[in-house]
Amino acid sequence: MLSLLKINNLALVDQLVWQLDTGLVGVTGETGAGKSVIVGALKLVLGERAEKSLIRTGEETCTVEAVFDLADAPVVNSILEDSGLDACDDGQLIVKRVIGLTSNKQFINNSPATLAVLKSLGAYLVDLHGPHDHQGLLSTERQLSMLDAYAGATELGRDFRKAWRHWRSASDSLHNFQTAGVEGERELELLRHQLHEIDAAKPNPDEEEELETHYQRASNSSRLVELATGATNLLSAGEDTLMDRFGQLQKLCRDLEKLDPGLRETLEGVDRAVMELQEIDSGLIDYLDDLSTDPAELAALEERINTLETLKRKYGPGLDDVLVHRNEIADRLDSVENRAERLQELENEVAAARKLADAAGSKLSEKRRKAAPKLAKEIARHLKELGFKQAAFEVRLLPHREPEAGGLEGVEFEFGPNPGEPMKPLRQIASSGEISRVMLSVKSALADQDATPLMVFDEIDANVGGEIARAVGEKMARLGERHQVVAITHFPQVAAVAAHHFVVSKEVRDGRTCSQLVQVQDEDRIVELVRMLGGGGKQARAMAESLLV
């Protein structure tokens, strides 16, 4: 139930703290007193977009805060958890909207939230109906969910939707496969050519660096031979080489060391230098032996580099990308060349999925066929109590050619208010008075299955007579035995049957008009009913008192 509604600086309301109880709560007041503010506040709680014009003149913000006490809230907690918010461990849910001149904010249990989350929660918290708020009832999708709830087929509906989604997914895969066929033999030949070109080259990303090094060496082999030969000539070839001179130096140093051992440390580097020069000379000689100047090898290296560059140009930019493209081509060819086999697999999957969907749909349809006439009879009974003495109501099942998300059939609620006149779908009913009473009849028939904690009826008794208004009120009161019901009404017959009666009025304080909400009981309630009856005197008072009996 909604246990508390707080409003600050919303339209004519400067401050309102409304504590609600269970059962039918009646709200009355003169036209323009501010009853619509309550509905507006609830719509804000339900995630409706807010306009700056709602802010009370002279103020910068307005706030609306609602506290819901939920005995069992698995769906609400699931929505909260999916949105990254804490669940209602204590069963209490607090929703707050702050509307500002520059920005708006919303909170759930003191944590920031989005309007989308508020709307998701609102669908499970409040069922709001006004003179023109019957779109939900007129929607065939909503009518189907009502029938399923009445039939106890909600779980079967979930099972069917799961099977239906699997069938649709398999059907989409088959369709995509069929429409993505090879565009003739040319495409097939192109795929084979590309695969052969890549496989013949056997590209290896690890070879590029080594290949480039070998190519640079081979392409500069003549100059490398010239330079390396010149170095070895200086070191050891010919006459008066570096090695000869270092040999002479080494002999002189050894003679010096014999005469003066103290020079050992100074001269010991000569031997190391001689050894290093010998190693350099030996390494250059080996390098010259390994250095190839074969033009054929250079040509082969050039050809290999060109081959890899061509592959990168076509399928790259890098060799890794070339290999990825190669695997894609192979998969595509495999798919194409084994097309008939894959097509049969997909067709089998679709057939199996359709069989499961049909089986789940048949179970759901059977439940609906049994429940539809019972629901129609129940709604018709409530309609008679609301003044449609000879009205007819039918819940018509309309088979689909192919399974749809809602099942193997749709539904249409049809209504015939007058004998001899054809039945019409609810969406074709023009009278707001008629559709309001039909909506109340449907709600009454589904009272045990409807899990919405709060129902709000905003002047749905408009355009009905006094006797019918009393029946409407009694119907709301019986709904109040299973739900918390708020009825905003102009009819004393409705207000009189409410378990709790509140009056909205206007007063001027410090030159400003303000709306206020007070609960009336005993004598104050009789006075309000007399006002609603449109006159004073003993007769009006007696009528008001009789309404409360």
Side-chain angles (χ1 to χ4, degrees):
M1 58 172 281
L2 173 67
S3 59
L4 180 69
L5 181 66
K6 294 173 64 177
I7 304 173
N8 289 93
N9 299 323
L10 179 64
L12 293 179
V13 176
D14 57 348
Q15 185 173 8
L16 172 68
V17 178
W18 188 20
Q19 291 182 306
L20 292 85
D21 211 329
T22 56
L24 175 59
V25 179
V27 179
T28 64
E30 294 182 355
T31 301
K35 299 187 296 298
S36 61
V37 176
I38 295 173
V39 176
L42 286 173
K43 287 183 176 180
L44 289 177
V45 170
L46 300 180
E48 185 173 287
R49 291 198 174 276
E51 301 292 338
K52 296 176 184 177
S53 58
L54 294 173
I55 303 173
R56 183 172 168 81
T57 302
E59 303 295 336
E60 294 185 354
T61 61
C62 71
T63 62
V64 176
E65 186 172 351
V67 179
F68 293 90
D69 292 327
L70 308 173
D72 187 23
V75 176
V76 169
N77 283 336
S78 177
I79 293 173
L80 292 175
E81 290 170 355
D82 290 345
S83 305
L85 299 171
D86 293 334
C88 304
D89 295 330
D90 58 356
Q92 189 174 79
L93 180 74
I94 303 174
V95 180
K96 184 177 181 179
R97 291 288 302 274
V98 180
I99 314 303
L101 294 174
T102 58
S103 63
N104 301 333
K105 299 177 182 179
Q106 44 276 331
F107 302 89
I108 297 176
N109 289 342
N110 297 320
S111 296
T114 64
L115 283 179
V117 177
L118 261 62
K119 288 182 179 179
S120 298
L121 290 173
Y124 292 94
L125 295 174
V126 182
D127 199 351
L128 195 153
H129 299 276
H132 306 289
D133 293 330
H134 306 298
Q135 287 80 6
L137 180 61
L138 304 183
S139 162
T140 54
E141 289 80 6
R142 179 61 176 154
Q143 292 172 10
L144 192 62
S145 67
M146 290 177 177
L147 174 59
D148 286 349
Y150 184 83
T154 302
E155 188 65 33
L156 285 177
R158 282 194 286 265
D159 292 342
F160 169 78
R161 282 188 292 277
K162 181 178 179 181
W164 179 83
R165 284 193 294 268
H166 178 61
W167 171 63
R168 287 306 311 161
S169 176
S171 299
D172 290 343
S173 296
L174 174 60
H175 176 73
N176 292 337
F177 184 81
Q178 290 171 329
T179 56
V182 178
E183 296 178 0
E185 190 65 23
R186 290 180 60 186
E187 181 188 357
L188 188 60
E189 287 303 317
L190 176 62
L191 292 173
R192 288 172 177 160
H193 169 74
Q194 290 179 353
L195 183 64
H196 175 74
E197 183 179 26
I198 296 173
D199 285 350
K202 298 180 181 179
N204 182 356
D206 296 333
E207 72 175 305
E208 281 192 287
E209 185 176 351
E210 182 178 356
L211 187 63
E212 184 65 28
T213 300
H214 288 168
Y215 175 74
Q216 290 295 331
R217 182 183 299 172
S219 61
N220 295 296
S221 59
S222 297
R223 179 61 175 159
L224 291 173
V225 168
E226 180 184 346
L227 294 173
T229 301
T232 56
N233 287 340
L234 286 174
L235 285 169
S236 60
E239 298 179 358
D240 195 25
T241 64
L242 284 175
M243 295 301 297
D244 291 337
R245 288 178 172 272
F246 265 86
Q248 296 172 11
L249 176 61
Q250 190 177 33
K251 183 178 181 303
L252 291 173
C253 289
R254 286 174 181 169
D255 291 342
L256 282 170
E257 187 179 339
K258 288 178 182 179
L259 296 175
D260 185 357
L263 290 171
R264 178 177 299 172
E265 184 176 349
T266 302
L267 301 176
E268 63 183 4
V270 174
D271 290 337
R272 287 198 302 272
V274 171
M275 292 179 61
E276 289 178 1
L277 286 174
Q278 289 173 342
E279 290 178 359
I280 292 172
D281 184 53
S282 177
L284 286 173
I285 292 172
D286 292 340
Y287 176 76
L288 284 169
D289 290 339
D290 293 337
L291 190 62
S292 173
T293 58
D294 184 3
E297 180 180 353
L298 177 61
L301 289 171
E302 287 180 342
E303 183 180 358
R304 181 61 178 170
I305 290 174
N306 289 335
T307 297
L308 297 183
E309 289 300 318
T310 300
L311 291 179
K312 289 195 291 184
R313 240 184 354 263
K314 288 184 176 181
Y315 315 117
L319 286 183
D320 288 324
D321 303 293
V322 172
L323 293 176
V324 169
H325 184 70
R326 184 263 174 214
N327 293 333
E328 291 175 349
I329 293 172
D331 291 342
R332 174 70 172 151
L333 270 173
D334 180 68
S335 175
V336 171
E337 292 173 341
N338 297 284
R339 183 173 179 76
E341 181 181 343
R342 179 57 180 157
L343 182 63
Q344 187 62 53
E345 289 177 0
L346 291 173
E347 289 175 344
N348 292 340
E349 289 177 11
V350 171
R354 175 61 184 267
K355 186 176 181 180
L356 291 175
D358 285 343
S362 295
K363 293 180 181 178
L364 180 59
S365 298
E366 181 64 21
K367 278 273 190 178
R368 289 170 174 173
R369 280 193 294 270
K370 290 181 179 179
K374 295 179 181 179
L375 176 59
K377 183 177 180 181
E378 184 74 8
I379 294 173
R381 180 177 68 82
H382 288 287
L383 284 168
K384 285 182 173 63
E385 295 174 359
L386 291 176
F388 294 105
K389 300 301 183 183
Q390 300 184 43
F393 195 92
E394 185 172 342
V395 177
R396 186 184 298 277
L397 296 178
L398 307 172
H400 297 313
R401 294 182 61 183
E402 289 288 324
E404 296 185 7
L408 303 183
E409 63 279 311
V411 70
E412 186 81 74
F413 285 6
E414 295 187 345
F415 178 52
N418 303 307
E421 295 296 323
M423 303 276 283
K424 293 182 179 180
L426 288 186
R427 61 180 179 274
Q428 296 180 13
I429 297 176
S431 168
S432 62
E434 286 184 345
I435 194 63
S436 295
R437 283 183 281 165
V438 172
M439 182 273 299
L440 185 56
S441 298
V442 172
K443 287 294 179 181
S444 297
L446 294 168
D448 290 335
Q449 290 78 29
D450 196 337
T452 309
L454 171 63
M455 293 183 180
V456 180
F457 298 103
D458 180 17
E459 298 185 6
I460 70 159
D461 48 14
N463 303 319
V464 299
E467 182 180 345
I468 301 303
R470 178 74 181 191
V472 169
E474 290 174 350
K475 193 69 66 178
M476 289 184 186
R478 285 198 288 274
L479 273 176
E481 296 172 1
R482 300 177 178 87
H483 304 267
Q484 184 186 40
V485 179
V486 173
I488 299 172
T489 180
H490 283 295
F491 276 85
Q493 295 92 333
V494 176
V497 297
H500 315 280
H501 188 171
F502 291 83
V503 176
V504 180
S505 62
K506 289 191 298 186
E507 66 175 9
V508 179
R509 295 196 299 262
D510 298 327
R512 296 291 302 279
T513 301
C514 301
S515 293
Q516 60 179 358
L517 180 71
V518 296
Q519 185 170 10
V520 291
Q521 296 175 323
D522 304 328
E523 180 62 24
D524 292 336
R525 189 173 190 184
I526 293 175
V527 171
E528 172 63 9
L529 292 177
V530 168
R531 181 199 66 78
M532 297 176 72
L533 286 166
K538 294 181 179 180
Q539 187 176 1
R541 181 180 178 86
M543 185 176 293
E545 290 174 344
S546 68
L547 290 175
L548 290 171
V549 175

